[in-house]
Amino acid sequence: MTLRFALLVTTAAALRPTQTRVSTTKKLDVVVVGGGISGLATALELARRGRSVRVVSRDLAKSATLAAGGMLAPQAERLEEGPLLDLCVQAREAWPSWLDTLDAPRPTLNAVGGFVSPSLTPGSSIESWRPPSSAGPSEWLDGNALRAMEPSLGNDVRGGWWYPLETWVDPVQTHECLLKTCESAGVEVVVDQDVAGLDLARDGSCSALRLKDGSLLEAADYCVAAGAWLRGLLPIPVSPQKGQMLSLKPPPSNDRTGAPARVVYGEDCYIIPRGDRVVIGATVENSSTMHCDVEGVHALLGRAQKLCPGLGQWQLDDAWAGLRPTTTDGAPVLGRTRWSNLWVCGGYWRNGILLAPTAARLLADAMDSSLSEKDAQLLDACRWDRFFAPVSSESSRLREGHAGLTSGEPADLDRIGYGAITAGEADAGGAARAANLEALFGGGVSAPEPAPT
């Protein structure tokens, strides 16, 4: 057990509310599955709108939130123009005001003149990138100018982008503050509860949340924010993607000149100056294990030292791993499912900290039938069934009544049901899926190949 993991477990235990037996008779307004930042932010937003909310979590210490870098950085992520970028930029701009609504002591937004994104090799993805102007200001600086801004960068840096608006927040402090704010807002957080499944009724609704101890939780609405384990409750292709991270502490001489003053966001790693430590992340691995290995730590150290050579004198402090909830297309799933009172928010991949507050507001607006036209389009692009069903790219299911309002081919899933889809041709809906992906990512994404026959 690493020191960081031990501290996370201790923090989660200290914040754990007194446990009572889960009621099988009290009907709540909303039950939220998941105690990470997504579930807690959603619960808080709904509670502030007058709903009674209970959060059910298996283990707060295993939340991806606690292992994250805390980036609020859609530009550094190099997102293409489109609804996904629009959602992320809206989320970044909403963070300062949302943070002010949390109970004190609150975490702070950290930015010393934004982020720098340096390139080490000719033709790298950073050099070839052209940041969309809709995401905010950016400026390309040559190597000398970039080193003048951030002296820790090495001589091999050819140049890079400067993103003045990008920032980050400490995820552990944010989670702790959010838990306390939820408690003061009347949200009941129940931990050490394993969810066995959802009782889905033939009338198209969810009737209960079934726990592994045999008890039931009944509510008017249910929201699944189960992170990397979302697929265990709903047929959505969300898988755990492992990310290893590490922290460094100053050398025995306490000479800190090798550390950057601002976030350095390279092509395959990022470096965050966090207090008296430097955090380096993160690997991208198709694995659900939670251990750190020599290969991953060695790779991160090598990448970081190429960007900031002075870090070679620093001492290894800690290493940890987390599981990102990742969809097959890398974009979130957000909104109502096929079941009228069952909602989902997840699959945020590398943008969980960034998206959680704004996604919570959008989901609450959808539940209140108060979405703006623009926000309805954003949720429609992130709908849960885009991976497997031939739905119309004109679907308006998240507007008033959450019903499909289109006609013609390809027909809307909510209007015709699954039977008509499975009875069609093997490649039926391919054009619609391509249109959905183009709407989400802004073009350049191919539809999946037809299934072999």
Side-chain angles (χ1 to χ4, degrees), residues 163-290:
Y163 301 117
L165 300 185
E166 305 281 67
T167 184
W168 64 274
V169 68
D170 187 303
V172 176
Q173 292 178 5
T174 302
H175 190 259
E176 179 180 353
C177 180
L178 188 51
L179 270 171
K180 292 179 179 178
T181 306
C182 282
E183 181 181 356
S184 66
V187 175
E188 183 182 2
V189 181
V190 181
V191 299
D192 298 329
Q193 290 290 334
D194 283 331
V195 176
L198 301 160
D199 283 6
L200 304 177
R202 295 175 70 89
D203 65 359
S205 68
C206 179
S207 61
L209 182 72
R210 185 174 296 276
L211 303 178
K212 287 191 176 179
D213 65 5
S215 59
L216 299 177
L217 277 178
E218 294 184 349
D221 287 278
Y222 303 85
C223 179
V224 180
W229 296 272
L230 195 153
R231 196 206 300 253
L233 295 176
L234 285 170
I236 301 174
V238 174
S239 300
Q241 185 189 75
K242 180 178 177 179
Q244 297 185 55
M245 298 180 67
L246 54 89
S247 64
L248 306 178
K249 59 184 180 181
S253 64
N254 205 34
D255 180 4
R256 301 181 55 85
T257 56
R262 59 190 48 76
V263 171
V264 175
Y265 206 112
E267 190 172 28
D268 52 11
C269 85
Y270 53 76
I271 305 169
I272 310 170
R274 187 181 290 176
D276 62 347
R277 298 292 192 268
V278 168
V279 173
I280 300 171
T283 64
V284 178
E285 307 171 51
N286 292 323
S287 170
S288 60
T289 64
M290 294 285 286

Side-chain angles (χ1 to χ4, degrees), residues 102-160:
L102 301 185
D103 292 351
R106 292 182 287 270
T108 59
L109 294 178
N110 301 276
V112 184
F115 288 14
V116 293
S117 184
S119 172
L120 292 167
T121 57
S124 70
S125 60
I126 292 176
E127 287 194 16
S128 60
W129 177 243
R130 297 298 177 265
S133 59
S134 61
S138 59
E139 185 174 349
W140 176 264
L141 302 175
D142 65 22
N144 290 331
L146 204 63
R147 278 185 291 273
M149 177 181 288
E150 181 46 67
S152 68
L153 295 174
N155 292 329
D156 290 339
V157 169
R158 296 166 43 84

Side-chain angles (χ1 to χ4, degrees), residues 352-402:
I353 305 296
L354 169 67
L355 288 175
T358 291
R361 180 188 62 79
L362 293 177
L363 196 71
D365 283 349
M367 294 176 74
D368 288 342
S369 299
S370 61
L371 281 169
S372 67
E373 183 73 14
K374 180 179 179 181
D375 287 345
Q377 292 173 359
L378 288 177
L379 282 193
D380 199 46
C382 296
R383 60 181 175 263
W384 78 294
D385 57 9
R386 68 181 184 268
F387 307 99
F388 56 86
V391 296
S392 167
S393 61
E394 301 298 321
S395 172
S396 300
R397 73 184 67 222
L398 291 181
R399 299 187 179 94
E400 181 68 24
H402 198 72

